[in-house]
Amino acid sequence: MQHDLTTARFYGILDAGYVSPDKWVSKAKDLITGGAGIVQIRAKGHSRAEIRVLTKEVWHLFKDGPIPLIINDDLELALEFEGAGLHVGQDDMDAREARKALGPDRVLGLSTHSIEQARGAIELADILTYFAVGPVFPTQTKPTYTPVGLNLVQQVANEANNPLPWFCIGGINRQNAHQVKEAGGQRLVAVSDVLCDEDTPAAVQEYLELYK
């Protein structure tokens, strides 16, 4: 199934660093209920076997559905789940090679941290489904990354010939999301702010209200 992300505004990340095993499935349902247009599984420091188990637990929520489930930086694992997408970073496998392995229909995303990298992603519009820009603000999820700031969001927003959906990520919460929108960001990722909220669907809805 091909997924169209042009209408997606909120990118949900099911992060094992913020979600306990007993809430893994319920938080995945919460992201869907709230209106996330795409969801990624991220479990840094976990083995492939552990991430496979986590993926299996929620796969029934996404299989053959309109919301793509994305595996972070593990092509082999993504290929085990028919239709699962893949997200790669600048230091991970080449996007062209990933596309060859995934085939034409699966979602493929790429992280970018500079205007040069963003332009490189735009040049791969026939390969990628989307790209991400960040971290916009400091984030505990990736504490060693230097924030790119709102200036990069503005620069990417001003790229005239960009056919790809792109998502702003990194340290975004309901207090600063309006700054991202004002800088030109049309889609965003928020991790801890929604996962740590007892009412995750309502938290996602707050973002969607801002970006509708």
Side-chain angles (χ1 to χ4, degrees):
M1 173 188 290
Q2 286 186 312
H3 293 92
D4 182 7
L5 298 182
T6 55
T7 60
R9 290 292 178 264
F10 186 86
Y11 193 139
I13 293 189
L14 196 59
D15 193 319
Y18 295 104
V19 181
S20 58
D22 62 307
K23 293 185 177 181
W24 188 252
V25 176
S26 64
K27 280 295 181 181
K29 290 179 179 178
D30 285 347
L31 290 172
I32 295 171
T33 301
I38 177 173
V39 174
Q40 179 186 137
I41 286 180
R42 190 163 67 190
K44 294 293 186 181
H46 288 62
S47 68
R48 177 179 290 163
E50 291 171 326
I51 300 173
R52 181 183 293 113
V53 170
L54 292 174
T55 305
K56 283 182 177 179
E57 287 184 4
V58 298
W59 182 238
H60 67 283
L61 300 173
F62 300 91
K63 186 176 184 292
D64 300 322
I67 302 171
L69 183 65
I70 310 302
I71 304 298
N72 184 53
D73 184 28
D74 192 330
L75 173 65
E76 290 185 32
L77 185 57
L79 290 174
E80 291 183 24
F81 295 87
E82 185 178 357
L86 178 70
H87 184 91
V88 294
Q90 290 291 321
D91 299 323
D92 301 328
M93 75 176 302
D94 182 79
R96 297 177 185 83
E97 294 302 314
R99 175 55 73 197
K100 287 180 183 177
L102 290 170
D105 295 335
R106 299 196 197 207
V107 173
L108 176 61
L110 175 67
S111 294
T112 67
H113 316 294
S114 68
I115 189 60
E116 291 78 19
Q117 291 177 357
R119 287 170 178 161
I122 293 169
E123 291 175 1
L124 295 175
D126 59 331
I127 299 293
L128 297 174
T129 315
Y130 73 90
F131 64 98
V133 174
V136 179
F137 303 110
T139 171
Q140 290 302 309
T141 304
K142 294 188 176 181
T144 61
Y145 279 58
T146 302
V148 299
L150 294 168
N151 183 55
L152 181 57
V153 176
Q154 292 174 328
Q155 288 180 295
V156 177
N158 288 331
E159 287 293 301
N161 298 310
N162 174 26
L164 288 174
W166 56 285
F167 295 84
C168 301
I169 186 172
I172 297 172
N173 55 47
R174 280 164 284 180
Q175 285 68 52
N176 60 29
H178 68 281
Q179 299 178 46
V180 180
K181 182 181 181 182
E182 290 166 4
Q186 299 179 343
R187 302 171 182 84
L188 56 75
V189 185
V191 186
S192 61
D193 189 47
V194 297
L195 294 180
C196 297
D197 195 307
E198 289 187 9
D199 194 343
T200 293
V204 175
Q205 279 292 320
E206 285 188 50
Y207 285 100
L208 293 176
E209 280 295 313
L210 176 65
Y211 275 82
K212 69 179 181 181

